[in-house]
Amino acid sequence: MKENKLIDWPTFIGALSLLLLVAVPLVLFPDQGETIVLAANSFITEKFGSLYLVLGFSVLIFLIYIAFSRFGTIKLGDTQVKPEFSTITWAAMLFCAGIGSSILYWGAIEWAYYYTSPPFGVEPKSKEAIQWAATYGIFHWGPIAWAIYCLPALPISYFYYVKKKPVLKISEACRPVIGKLTDGPIGKIIDVLFMFGLLGGAGTTLALGAPLIASGIQDLTGINPSMTLNTVILLICTLIFAMSAYSGLRKGIKVLSDINLWLASFFLIFVFAVGPTVFLAETTLNSVGFMLDHFFRMATWTEPFNDLGPFERTGFPESWTVFYWAWWLVYAPFVGLFVTKISRGRTIREMILGTLIYGTIGCLLFFGILGNFGLYLELTGQYSVTEVLNQQGAPAAIMGILSQLPLSKLIVAIFTVLAIIFLATTFDSSSYILASVVQKEVVDEPIRWNRLFWAFSLSILPLTLMYIGGLSTLQTASIVGGFPLIAITVLLSISFIKSVREHFIEEKRKDRIKEKKVS
Ligand code: NM2
């Protein structure tokens, strides 16, 4: 078949084998599997935790430098081209591309984990713990996180618009550094590792999202959550996406994303208006200041010593900051490909500052409104979120928070629909990218069976992870998947710097020739 010739089989088989190599033993030997997964988690986070922190922090500094240097003035597209989308639409699309159902989950509940197990040796549930609880989430979904998202967009968009070379593969964006190796095994390994990372990151997302939806369904219908229900939910989300992809209705997903944006905005405005508005506004603003005050401290906290005794650790930085940076990292090249597509006509500076600012503000709204509402319930004693969290788990606690709102059934329904659409769009965008990477060439869209294949493959890891269970297990998928991405991110940065330097040398040379001609 002609279609099959388009498939880049070594990458296809490489990524699939790696996926099965991880998933199959875990299903066959779940008990040993759990031990191995947790060992892998602590090995990477304890031995290399600092590396993730250094990377996150450096990426932010690097981006700010690029934005304000002459490189920031490079325009993505020809000089006369105007930005394709208005800034608001651009910001909304950017946010939707990078953020999925996880913000519903963590936005609502992250504070509760910090409140009961705070950082810096702070007394649990103390006044100080409240401050950190309301702040740390915003930090983990803040400027460093969005900087990690933005970095791959630099080389990719530069090649796409300025050099006019469409980049659909991450290996291609590394070409200025690795040269001809891009076309050999090294290039393929880069792509396979990127795919593996994305499968891991999506694994974490889907394994968190499915039980959340199950809990919403339980609230609405009384059906008890179970592994079967989780599996059905993942299948339904795949099917929603598959139907629109199969019928060629690209618009289907676009419509879903729009509905999501409206529903999410309505939801947040509703909670803000009928909830404790002043408390929400004050706590959010206060947390922004608190975060800025402690930004460097949080960005570099490795917990080398604390009150527990020498070499005793709470594991806070590993369980949270390192996990988060890894999780953003695995999605970053994929977001980079998307941001590139929507950024025609903008300058690199606009792209960087837009991502950092709008991304951070978007997350701030979710955490500030949804998270602080839960905190309010806890502090006033109206509803003990932490108790439910301890006894029944996070999804039940989240639904419990929502049930404290007026029209609670409607709100739970909206929330559950939001989570379902978010998951369906995660399947859509991730399978699009996975399928594109394993093709030699993409005409219009990746081949249909190829997309569907990756959409279904995306469920393999979350199903395995949910089967084993435990938050650390889910986190491990991103942490392990994200590890090779550290090196790839460094490669991408060097690649960008190298190309834009050459760009300016070339411009100067052209100017000199022009000057000579004039004189
Ligand atoms: N990030 C933003 O599940 C999702 O929301 C996708 C998750 C990396 C934490 C992205």
Side-chain angles (χ1 to χ4, degrees):
M1 255 176 90
K2 223 172 110 203
E3 264 194 350
N4 290 356
K5 285 215 179 103
L6 279 179
I7 302 285
D8 174 0
W9 288 107
T11 315
F12 190 108
I13 294 178
L16 185 62
S17 318
L18 204 53
L19 176 65
L20 294 178
L21 208 67
V22 173
V24 173
L26 290 182
V27 176
L28 292 182
F29 312 103
D31 292 336
Q32 291 93 325
E34 189 180 358
T35 320
I36 296 173
V37 166
L38 296 182
N41 184 324
S42 32
F43 178 74
I44 295 186
T45 56
E46 282 166 25
K47 300 274 185 273
F48 300 97
S50 314
L51 202 57
Y52 284 90
L53 299 189
V54 169
L55 181 85
F57 192 59
S58 321
V59 167
L60 179 65
I61 305 287
F62 178 71
L63 285 193
I64 293 176
Y65 159 71
I66 296 289
F68 292 104
S69 71
R70 61 193 166 138
F71 303 137
T73 58
I74 296 177
K75 179 147 184 202
L76 303 171
D78 300 329
T79 1
Q80 66 286 10
V81 178
K82 291 245 159 47
E84 198 173 332
F85 300 101
S86 73
T87 304
I88 291 289
T89 315
W90 181 83
M93 288 202 279
L94 165 81
F95 190 77
C96 294
I99 297 298
S101 55
S102 311
I103 200 155
L104 300 177
Y105 190 103
W106 291 118
I109 203 75
E110 195 162 325
W111 65 268
Y113 288 84
Y114 305 149
Y115 180 56
T116 47
S117 318
F120 305 116
V122 165
E123 177 85 19
K125 299 198 176 183
S126 62
K127 240 197 207 152
E128 241 188 312
I130 300 175
Q131 293 260 26
W132 289 112
T135 305
Y136 242 102
I138 298 175
F139 171 70
H140 286 147
W141 294 70
I144 292 191
W146 284 93
I148 295 177
Y149 258 12
C150 184
L151 188 112
L154 299 182
I156 299 175
S157 58
Y158 176 76
F159 296 134
Y160 195 82
Y161 292 114
V162 184
K163 290 280 173 213
K164 307 227 175 346
K165 272 194 226 145
V167 178
L168 274 172
K169 298 184 189 218
I170 300 306
S171 57
E172 204 49 53
C174 298
R175 193 179 282 277
V177 183
I178 59 174
K180 281 213 179 76
L181 296 178
T182 315
D183 307 308
I186 301 276
K188 305 244 182 288
I189 290 174
I190 290 181
D191 289 329
V192 167
L193 289 177
F194 156 59
M195 289 179 72
F196 183 62
L198 185 51
L199 286 163
T204 306
T205 294
L206 302 173
L208 284 170
L212 184 65
I213 296 172
S215 192
I217 292 180
Q218 180 189 26
D219 233 55
L220 296 168
T221 63
I223 301 176
N224 281 334
S226 62
M227 191 61 201
T228 321
L229 183 58
N230 288 340
T231 313
V232 171
I233 290 168
L234 283 186
L235 273 179
I236 290 179
C237 292
T238 320
L239 282 180
I240 295 180
F241 139 74
M243 271 173 355
S244 65
Y246 202 79
S247 56
L249 287 173
R250 281 298 301 134
K251 275 199 198 122
I253 285 293
K254 175 85 184 59
V255 172
L256 284 183
S257 307
D258 286 347
I259 296 176
N260 234 18
L261 195 62
W262 288 110
L263 272 184
S265 312
F266 167 78
F267 174 75
L268 287 181
I269 293 171
F270 182 81
V271 178
F272 187 63
V274 306
T277 312
V278 174
F279 175 85
L280 299 182
E282 284 184 357
T283 313
T284 307
L285 184 62
N286 189 63
S287 304
V288 171
F290 199 71
M291 176 182 80
L292 292 175
D293 244 6
H294 298 91
F295 193 80
F296 294 114
R297 182 84 183 97
M298 292 194 270
T300 55
W301 186 43
T302 49
E303 201 186 24
F305 23 72
N306 62 33
D307 295 343
L308 295 173
F311 303 110
E312 287 287 328
R313 320 170 68 96
T314 60
F316 186 104
E318 290 90 348
S319 314
W320 293 108
T321 314
V322 170
F323 154 62
Y324 262 119
W325 287 182
W327 198 12
W328 288 88
L329 208 53
V330 289
Y331 273 101
F334 148 74
V335 174
L337 289 163
F338 182 83
V339 173
T340 296
K341 273 197 169 170
I342 59 172
S343 298
R344 179 192 302 276
R346 294 182 181 271
T347 60
I348 290 202
R349 178 174 303 153
E350 283 170 345
M351 191 172 79
I352 295 177
L353 297 181
T355 312
L356 295 186
I357 295 170
Y358 296 121
T360 302
I361 292 179
C363 293
L364 181 69
L365 290 177
F366 274 91
F367 277 76
I369 296 176
L370 192 53
N372 288 333
F373 175 58
L375 180 63
Y376 176 83
L377 296 176
E378 173 86 21
L379 296 180
T380 53
Q382 190 178 330
Y383 176 75
S384 179
V385 181
T386 50
E387 209 179 293
V388 183
L389 175 64
N390 265 337
Q391 284 162 8
Q392 300 171 38
I398 296 170
M399 292 304 152
I401 295 174
L402 300 180
S403 62
Q404 297 298 314
L405 287 161
L407 302 175
S408 66
K409 280 273 177 257
L410 176 70
I411 292 300
V412 169
I414 290 184
F415 191 85
T416 310
V417 170
L418 261 176
I420 294 176
I421 302 181
F422 261 137
L423 279 206
T425 48
T426 301
F427 274 111
D428 173 68
S429 41
S430 311
S431 66
Y432 184 96
I433 296 294
L434 290 170
S436 309
V437 176
V438 298
Q439 277 186 219
K440 291 182 195 140
E441 202 181 83
V442 176
V443 193
D444 278 344
E445 292 218 331
I447 307 167
R448 219 181 261 167
W449 73 257
N450 186 21
R451 270 198 83 177
L452 289 185
F453 178 85
W454 288 105
F456 282 100
S457 307
L458 271 167
S459 297
I460 296 177
L461 212 51
L463 284 175
T464 316
L465 296 172
M466 284 191 289
Y467 181 58
I468 299 179
L471 180 59
S472 313
T473 314
L474 310 188
Q475 293 182 325
T476 310
S478 290
I479 290 169
V480 173
F483 195 52
L485 262 299
I486 297 183
I488 296 181
T489 305
V490 174
L491 268 181
L492 288 172
S493 319
I494 303 176
S495 180
F496 176 71
I497 283 290
K498 210 170 157 205
S499 325
V500 285
R501 277 230 182 101
E502 278 161 17
H503 175 94
F504 277 97
I505 295 173
E506 180 65 12
E507 296 272 291
K508 266 200 194 132
R509 203 179 56 90
K510 276 191 204 149
D511 283 349
R512 241 178 270 137
I513 294 175
K514 252 192 225 154
E515 269 165 32
K516 259 193 200 151
K517 271 192 190 152
V518 174
S519 57

